[in-house]
Amino acid sequence: MSGKRQNHQLQLDFDGPARSETPSADGGGTETLATSRATENPAAADTLMEEVLERENLKEALKRVKANKGSAGVDGMTVRNLPRYLIKHWPEHRAQLLSGTYQPQPVKREEIPKLDGGVRKLGIPTVLDRFIQQALMQVLQRRWDPTFSEHSYGFRPGRSARQAVAQAQQYIAEGYRVVADLDLEKFFDRVNHDKLMGRVAQRITDKRVLKLIRAFLNAGVMEGGLVGPSVEGTPQGGPLSPLLSNIVLDELDRELEQRGHRFVRYADDCNIYVRSLRAGQRVMDSVTRFLATQLKLKVNSEKSAVALPRERKFLGFSFTGHAEPKRRIAPKSVKRFKERIREITRRRKGHGMGKRLEELQRYLTGWRGYFGFCQTPSVLLELDSWVRRRLRCLFWIQWKTGRKRFDELVKRGVDRQLAANTAGSNHGPWRMSVSIAVSRALSNAFFDSLGLPKLAVGR
């Protein structure tokens, strides 16, 4: 069957009437702030599952799951195979969802290294469960997101880490020059299911949706071939988990707002800005107690502190101590950048220079897209210089013999005498990477011609 016919058939399987299956709960697809603490209208809420299963919502969910790609879950099904599976089996699963009998499969445990050491445990749902979670998340997010705090920036449409960093900078500029930096210990692994479902039940009454969310939370985890229970936490790796985390921490946001604090929260990173160290410690102690008693969450004492903002890292950035603070790249972020560049360019890596340059291009472009937001361009210029020096060093190593080095230098415009003197040098690659001949042969313009991105664009 052709791709076009598969897509057509898939749309037919996401059938129901071509019109909307259920009236909008609020007319515009979102709640107003005035209703943020109220239970939804029962007549509308009891048809929430029908809204999740509307054709256009499902088409968008499938599009998002395919775009996000990701690995297979416990059943081995890949994203590529999902459309073909849905053509055959979606009517059956749709009926289960409408009757409240759908049972998700366990998530697959995967561990990925964290940037600051250790590992992050992911729970990868099957692609079918990811598809259903995505469809559910889209509907709930439209309803709930407008009710969340303006101080919350993580996992929200139209909001970003950059905005969170800029708001933190504004607080510091206003004179709040001490930060109570809270990091929640293993937050996604320790969310209390009963507390979470209590919060969710305040917002919706469709029992099928409540049962489905609980089923996703309790689906279990497969690790080492064995399935274990999941009695707490919202496994990272599924589309629904970030939204549920914001539901839990919305209670923290409201508490801090009620206390009149200036704060910024991005997921489980929360920075509260105050005027003195003494006030900061008082806030740290009281908020730690609130999290423990009200949300059953623990503050990571090793990663949390009361300090000057320039001494802390927030979303990869730090701030200068000037009267008008500037955003700077945190030292740990610079360190991780260099570690990644070394990994891509290390001497014994199996593939050739072309592959390395392609990987470098992707990494540098993405890194610049985020950290180019800094206001200390000298750091970007230094890193540009360091990356190119490392590449010159790598070229020198690959040329290997004196004859090869001489030929390459001459070919790239170095006069023969200088090329001969340089090629015969006994100095190591790092020293030779800043020699006149090598710098001339492998100039910045040369790397520009290869498409190597500059970090300090327009600076």
Side-chain angles (χ1 to χ4, degrees):
M1 181 182 293
S2 68
K4 177 179 286 188
R5 180 162 178 77
Q6 281 188 357
N7 186 55
H8 177 66
Q9 182 65 48
L10 187 56
Q11 291 183 23
L12 292 176
D13 286 339
F14 290 162
D15 53 8
R19 58 180 172 77
S20 173
E21 292 192 30
T22 180
S24 172
D26 54 9
T30 60
E31 296 178 351
T32 64
L33 289 175
T35 63
S36 64
R37 291 294 171 267
T39 302
E40 295 182 8
N41 180 282
D46 287 343
T47 60
L48 185 59
M49 184 63 81
E50 281 77 9
E51 187 176 343
V52 172
L53 297 177
E54 284 182 351
R55 182 170 57 184
E56 291 304 314
N57 188 55
L58 294 175
K59 286 165 63 178
E60 178 62 22
L62 181 59
K63 179 181 176 181
R64 294 290 182 88
V65 170
K66 289 167 68 176
N68 291 337
K69 299 180 181 179
S71 58
V74 296
D75 62 355
M77 186 194 304
T78 65
V79 172
R80 184 177 180 180
N81 293 330
L82 178 61
R84 187 179 299 110
Y85 177 87
L86 290 175
I87 289 171
K88 183 176 181 181
H89 297 284
W90 178 244
E92 170 192 347
H93 294 310
R94 182 175 179 276
Q96 292 170 346
L97 290 164
L98 286 170
S99 64
T101 59
Y102 180 81
Q103 286 297 320
Q105 296 191 63
V107 299
K108 183 175 70 174
R109 173 69 75 213
E110 284 191 4
E111 295 184 351
I112 61 173
K114 296 176 70 173
L115 294 176
D116 54 355
V119 295
R120 175 176 284 109
K121 292 186 175 182
L122 300 182
I124 308 300
T126 65
V127 292
L128 174 62
D129 286 338
R130 293 211 294 273
F131 166 64
I132 294 171
Q133 283 193 34
Q134 179 68 33
L136 177 58
M137 185 277 291
Q138 289 169 181
V139 171
L140 297 183
Q141 188 170 64
R142 287 196 297 269
R143 291 167 171 262
W144 295 352
D145 190 78
T147 74
F148 290 151
S149 168
E150 65 178 21
H151 302 279
S152 166
Y153 291 86
F155 310 127
R156 299 184 61 189
R159 292 186 158 238
S160 67
R162 280 187 167 194
Q163 292 174 336
V165 172
Q167 182 58 70
Q169 181 183 16
Q170 181 62 34
Y171 289 143
I172 299 167
E174 291 170 359
Y176 297 86
R177 295 184 170 268
V178 172
V179 61
D181 181 2
L182 292 99
D183 182 273
L184 299 180
E185 186 173 291
K186 297 182 179 179
F187 167 70
F188 286 93
D189 296 330
R190 293 186 173 174
V191 169
N192 183 281
H193 287 179
D194 291 335
K195 289 285 295 182
L196 170 57
M197 291 306 302
R199 299 286 292 176
V200 171
Q202 291 175 10
R203 293 173 175 259
I204 57 177
T205 60
D206 189 325
K207 293 182 179 179
R208 297 166 300 176
V209 175
L210 292 173
K211 184 177 179 181
L212 180 62
I213 294 174
R214 174 73 81 165
F216 278 126
L217 293 173
N218 294 338
V221 179
M222 177 174 284
E223 192 169 9
L226 300 175
V227 176
S230 49
V231 295
E232 61 179 359
T234 59
Q236 296 182 74
L240 195 57
S241 181
L243 181 62
L244 295 180
S245 72
N246 274 334
I247 282 289
V248 173
L249 292 175
D250 184 59
E251 190 169 344
L252 170 63
D253 297 339
R254 300 303 172 184
E255 177 68 17
L256 296 178
E257 287 177 345
Q258 187 174 350
R259 297 184 186 187
H261 287 310
R262 289 157 179 81
F263 71 98
V264 181
R265 183 179 65 79
Y266 192 96
D268 54 345
D269 287 332
C270 184
N271 278 8
I272 306 170
Y273 293 88
V274 296
R275 293 188 182 274
S276 69
L277 290 170
R278 183 175 180 181
Q281 194 57 59
R282 185 169 61 248
V283 167
M284 175 69 79
D285 293 342
S286 64
V287 173
T288 298
R289 285 195 299 272
F290 173 82
L291 288 165
T293 57
Q294 298 300 314
L295 302 185
K296 312 300 181 186
L297 296 171
K298 182 179 180 181
V299 170
N300 187 327
S301 59
E302 293 183 1
K303 294 185 177 181
S304 303
V306 176
L308 301 178
R310 67 172 180 265
E311 299 170 353
R312 303 297 295 172
K313 174 175 68 69
F314 181 53
L315 302 177
F317 288 90
S318 185
F319 304 94
T320 66
H322 300 125
E324 289 294 330
K326 294 184 181 299
R327 298 182 297 270
R328 67 185 183 96
I329 304 171
K332 285 186 178 180
S333 299
V334 173
K335 181 181 178 182
R336 287 197 296 268
F337 172 84
K338 289 189 172 183
E339 289 172 350
R340 180 66 179 131
I341 297 299
R342 289 189 184 100
E343 179 185 342
I344 294 172
T345 61
R346 66 180 182 267
R347 300 182 188 183
R348 295 183 178 85
K349 192 147 185 176
H351 47 233
M353 186 62 73
K355 291 281 189 180
R356 297 183 203 204
L357 287 170
E358 287 178 12
E359 191 172 353
L360 270 178
Q361 184 179 36
R362 290 192 298 270
Y363 179 71
L364 292 174
T365 300
W367 196 89
R368 181 183 66 192
Y370 184 72
F371 286 104
F373 184 56
C374 77
Q375 295 173 311
T376 51
S378 60
V379 176
L380 298 179
L381 290 168
E382 289 172 6
L383 291 176
D384 270 333
S385 177
W386 181 83
V387 169
R388 281 154 179 75
R389 182 176 180 183
R390 184 160 182 87
L391 285 172
R392 291 183 184 108
C393 179
L394 192 59
F395 270 100
W396 188 254
I397 293 169
Q398 288 195 337
W399 291 342
K400 293 183 180 179
T401 66
R403 183 65 196 183
K404 175 68 171 175
R405 289 167 178 170
F406 172 80
D407 290 342
E408 290 289 344
L409 292 173
V410 171
K411 183 174 69 175
R412 297 166 191 273
V414 178
D415 68 74
R416 297 179 68 84
Q417 185 59 51
L418 179 58
N421 292 339
T422 304
S425 173
N426 290 325
H427 292 304
W430 190 246
R431 170 80 173 270
M432 295 308 299
S433 65
V434 292
S435 67
I436 295 174
V438 174
S439 297
R440 186 177 299 169
L442 303 174
S443 64
N444 288 343
F446 167 75
F447 289 116
D448 292 345
S449 72
L450 296 179
L452 190 71
K454 287 182 178 178
L455 301 177
V457 175
R459 312 231 181 175

